[in-house]
Amino acid sequence: MAITVHFELAVDAASSSALVVFVGAGGHLSAGAQAVESAGGGQLGRAMKAATFAGKKGKFVEILAPAGIASHRLIVAGIGDPAKADARVFEDVGGGIAERLQTLETKVVADFTGIADMAVGTDVAAVHFAHGLELRNWRLDTYRTKLKEEQKPKLTDVVLVGVAESAKPLNERLQKVAAGVHFTKWLVTQPGNVIYPESFVEHCRKAMEPLGIKITVLDDVQMKALGMGSLLGVGQGSVRRERIIAMEWNGLGEGAPAPLVLVGKGVTFDTGGISIKPAPGMEDMKWDMGGAGAVAGCLVALAGRKAKAHVVGVCGLVENMPDGNAQRPGDIVTSMSGQTIEVLNTDAEGRLVLCDVFTWAQQQYKPKVMLDFATLTGAILISLAHHYAGVFSNSDGLWGKLDKAGGAVNDLVWRQPLSEPGGHYDQLIDSNIADMKNLGTREGGSISAAQFLQRFVNEGVEWAHIDIAGAVWRPKSGPLHDKGATGFGVRLVDRFVADTLEA
Ligand code: BES
Ligand code: MN
Ligand code: ZN
């Protein structure tokens, strides 16, 4: 849920809310913490001792109806070594507060006065605390009709105390980014009967046109005329017709350079097609549009904060279903690039969608840099679990920038190998009958998928493929997300754009 952030000079003595104060490693109290310690006659110190709390990062002590102050509860939040307490640490602490208080309080008052020797300024720390709190506070309740009053989320406001007004622009910017992350989480969490190619497009229109994003949509008839036999082959077993959506944000106006192109895999449900998946866990395949969801959220974030950059997101939207009209294993399709593909497994459909989107997007927008986000392979979950996304890139420089941006915002990425065209891994997808097949070996399954995509990247384009099959959702909650959709990719791209296009 969206959060309203307020800036105040002092803690309102009559405040009925949750008061948060900070303690560093070794139990070092901030000035704000000292003030409540004095007001409560040593209650805070006794509680910290009883809880063997020494200010470790991510640890909290809670005192209900504390003596000497008007708050419902006092939360002492550990920040660890202050010299290492940077924006990421405060985001996680804010997230931890949202997790605890989401259903308990409407307002959090966080006192940032007098935290000694931090890695970042108080204002940066405070707005990132609010950012983490806002991100972690998101959840989808529209389908829960029987929530009891005490189960409903209530948290709507955070008051940052002792923070300079000069922090307001950064706060506003982070709130726009959070709106992008929330749009992604929303799209990704919706089931396949709600989000299908046409409805995905309509939700994007509604969210984006007010932000000044230009939307172009290709329908199946136009795609057929363009020769997108690969993408259309995936959708032909579904009653939902295919779409490509292009979302353009030009924050530079006329004469802007060629855009950064972001491509998203938008398989709104992946049954596997005729190579059907086993029933257990198939429901997870509603998340198979997570790449498209991430790209859409990126555009909402960038346009929302009016980024001084030219960025286009292009998503291929299809549903992969088994049917009398579905494509068969062994079918040979012709992609828009002219290259032919032997479809040996209809469940390796993501690459079949992306390749035609690559060809069209490069023809249309002539990018120098292209990133694609895709829930492409189960094999990346075997390699990296849910923690990192895998990156395959033809450019060391581009990889380095993604690694840096991801590390800064905790959307973590890890580089994976990629052969040159004709190289060892590339040969895995040579076909006996067509230009290539859509299936490599089980071993290195994420790599052969990336090699397939690389065959559709034009000469001279710096490209990175980001396999988010694991990172898009997590079975356990984290500091910035509940269990389920993570919104991975939005903050990564926001930072990447800031670092590389706006610097
Ligand atoms: N959408 C899946 C990949 C996936 C698996 C995403 C698990 C998230 C969680 C993709 O379309 C797929 O089915 N890939 C196959 C490829 C195989 C047939 C070569 C896979 O990973 O098993
Ligand atoms: Mn599949
Ligand atoms: Zn898939």
Side-chain angles (χ1 to χ4, degrees):
M1 203 180 296
I3 291 282
T4 307
V5 183
H6 311 266
F7 292 78
E8 280 171 23
L9 290 173
V11 176
D12 177 1
S15 160
S16 56
S17 56
L19 176 61
V20 178
V21 295
F22 299 93
V23 172
H28 190 81
L29 303 190
S30 69
Q34 271 160 17
V36 288
E37 173 70 332
S38 315
Q43 192 188 12
L44 186 152
R46 288 198 302 279
M48 281 171 53
K49 203 161 173 204
T52 63
F53 170 89
K56 252 179 96 174
K57 181 180 82 179
K59 297 278 183 215
F60 300 95
V61 172
E62 184 168 340
I63 304 171
L64 296 176
I69 54 175
S71 301
H72 298 146
R73 65 191 78 227
L74 169 68
I75 296 184
V76 189
I79 59 167
D81 178 359
K84 291 187 189 143
D86 58 8
R88 261 178 61 173
V89 168
F90 278 96
E91 282 175 4
D92 287 1
V93 173
I97 294 290
E99 182 179 6
R100 292 174 152 259
L101 299 185
Q102 184 170 51
T103 59
L104 293 171
E105 297 284 355
T106 57
K107 188 163 89 176
V108 168
V109 180
D111 189 353
F112 283 86
T113 45
I115 312 175
D117 307 323
M118 281 194 296
V120 287
T122 303
D123 44 355
V124 172
V127 294
H128 280 277
F129 169 89
H131 187 46
L133 185 145
E134 178 161 33
L135 290 170
R136 182 60 183 82
N137 198 41
W138 186 89
R139 65 180 226 192
L140 185 74
D141 280 320
T142 43
Y143 299 116
R144 299 183 221 270
T145 66
K146 296 181 191 308
L147 280 184
K148 299 194 182 70
E149 215 36 57
E150 70 270 19
Q151 297 173 311
K152 289 183 183 165
K154 293 174 190 65
L155 191 53
T156 53
D157 290 76
V158 57
V159 181
L160 304 175
V161 176
V163 179
E165 294 266 318
S166 59
K168 280 187 174 172
L170 178 59
N171 178 63
E172 268 157 40
R173 175 185 164 152
L174 291 172
Q175 290 205 278
K176 300 298 184 190
V177 174
V181 175
H182 292 166
F183 188 54
T184 299
K185 286 182 182 174
W186 187 89
L187 286 168
V188 168
T189 307
Q190 292 296 334
N193 63 332
V194 173
I195 289 294
Y196 44 92
E198 283 174 74
S199 66
F200 188 103
V201 167
E202 288 323 307
H203 286 290
C204 287
R205 274 193 205 287
K206 223 173 90 198
M208 293 180 188
E209 277 169 354
L211 298 175
I213 294 170
K214 183 180 154 204
I215 297 207
T216 308
V217 179
L218 299 182
D219 65 20
D220 50 303
V221 178
Q222 291 164 297
M223 287 188 244
K224 189 148 200 270
L226 286 162
M228 294 188 179
S230 183
L231 184 153
L232 291 171
V234 175
Q236 78 189 27
S238 171
V239 296
R240 309 287 194 191
R241 290 282 55 83
E242 306 78 2
R243 292 289 184 270
I244 284 178
I245 183 169
M247 304 157 278
E248 180 168 10
W249 167 250
N250 184 356
L252 298 172
E254 228 173 292
L260 166 69
V261 165
L262 309 171
V263 173
K265 168 178 171 182
V267 175
T268 58
F269 196 83
D270 180 14
T271 63
I274 296 298
S275 312
I276 196 164
K277 287 180 182 294
M282 199 200 274
E283 65 279 7
D284 289 350
M285 287 302 111
K286 73 173 181 179
W287 289 326
D288 212 19
M289 37 55 71
V295 168
C298 289
L299 268 292
V300 167
L302 293 169
R305 72 170 179 79
K306 299 195 164 49
K308 291 264 171 275
H310 188 196
V311 181
V312 180
V314 191
C315 298
L317 302 164
V318 304
E319 184 180 56
N320 188 21
M321 289 297 234
D323 177 76
N325 192 46
Q327 74 179 342
R328 292 149 287 261
D331 280 6
I332 297 173
V333 295
T334 303
S335 65
M336 182 183 171
S337 74
Q339 300 181 90
T340 57
I341 303 158
E342 183 188 12
V343 180
L344 285 180
N345 188 318
T346 64
D347 196 13
E349 85 297 338
R351 64 201 78 180
L352 298 171
V353 172
L354 290 172
C355 69
D356 279 337
V357 178
F358 278 19
T359 303
W360 184 78
Q362 290 171 106
Q363 187 184 85
Q364 199 72 13
Y365 299 105
K366 311 272 185 301
K368 291 200 169 61
V369 180
M370 179 165 76
L371 309 178
D372 77 78
F373 288 85
T375 51
L376 206 60
T377 65
I380 206 74
L381 272 143
I382 306 300
S383 315
L384 301 174
H386 293 277
H387 201 50
Y388 283 79
V391 174
F392 302 80
S393 183
N394 59 9
S395 159
D396 295 345
L398 179 57
W399 153 249
K401 290 169 192 162
L402 289 169
D403 187 30
K404 179 167 170 269
V409 299
N410 224 353
D411 271 356
L412 300 176
V413 288
W414 200 277
R415 195 174 189 182
Q416 309 283 309
L418 186 77
S419 290
E420 305 262 292
H424 176 77
Y425 289 128
D426 183 69
Q427 291 172 21
L428 293 173
I429 52 165
D430 285 339
S431 160
N432 290 328
I433 184 169
D435 295 335
M436 69 194 87
K437 53 188 182 184
N438 76 331
L439 191 64
T441 49
R442 205 172 79 88
E443 299 83 3
S446 307
I447 307 173
S448 43
Q451 295 294 157
F452 182 100
L453 297 179
Q454 185 176 239
R455 292 193 183 196
F456 298 85
V457 176
N458 292 351
E459 193 68 42
V461 175
E462 275 191 279
W463 159 74
H465 157 56
I466 305 165
D467 192 334
I468 59 168
V472 72
W473 68 279
R474 297 195 180 114
K476 287 193 186 137
S477 67
L480 304 181
H481 58 82
D482 201 350
K483 56 178 177 287
T486 59
F488 186 97
V490 176
R491 299 188 327 128
L492 170 71
V493 168
D494 174 66
R495 179 58 70 100
F496 174 83
V497 166
D499 288 351
T500 64
L501 302 180
E502 299 177 289

